[in-house]
Amino acid sequence: MNRDESLAINLCSKWLVLFLIFITIVIVSFVFYLVVPALAQNNNNRIISLADLIKEGSPHLGSLSAPVTIIDFSDFQCYLCARYVKNTEPKINETYIQTGTANLVFKHLPNRGTDSMGAAIAAQCTNDQGMFWQFDNLLYKNQGPIDSGWVSKDNLKKFASKIGGLDIQKFNSCFDGQKYKSLVERDIALGASFGFQDTPNFIIVNSDGYNAEIIKGAQPFAAFKALVDKKL
């Protein structure tokens, strides 16, 4: 093989490599173009109906006939969640919950510290007696630094004892037996399916469970109003 033939072979080999790289890029781009929008659309159309949420035991507030559901994924040790409860939730309650326009559903996402799981289970136990929202407000009102002991097992029982009308013996039995640990774990899995790694996160969805839209973080009331009003 002479020098010219060798150069020609090398040149062809280089062009072949470049061609294969180009084809690979085209294929990857095509797959990305098709798959990513499909995944996003599938997530947007995920069914999370109010009836299913209530059946699962999730705490809810509002009329069962409301056309819109607001799903709150939060952690009782999350300071941003406390800010939302203080500044935004009252406006949502007044504007949409009390008027029968929307429901508010709570989902547990205890990822701020080791004590967060216990707080979630305790809160769910108060829901057994229809007093979740009183306990919810009590914890956020008295929120302390993460894992500082403010939601230790003993303190959670003390908080529960402050709720008028709560049967503390039933609560203690539920809490000590970790009755709702599996429910909280299912909430965590649901949050993970939406890519939620932090708190708070919210899903605004039609009551039939379609067309879910997401709000991340403790956004102002205007952010919620824009999505809820769009669904009415």
Side-chain angles (χ1 to χ4, degrees), residues 6-20:
S6 177
L7 288 173
I9 292 173
N10 288 337
L11 184 60
C12 289
S13 297
K14 290 179 180 179
W15 277 109
L16 179 61
V17 170
L18 289 174
F19 177 74
L20 291 174

Side-chain angles (χ1 to χ4, degrees), residues 8 29 42 47 59 71-72 98 102 117 183:
S29 299
N42 182 60
I47 297 176
I71 309 169
D72 171 9
Q98 297 303 318
M117 175 61 83
L183 181 147

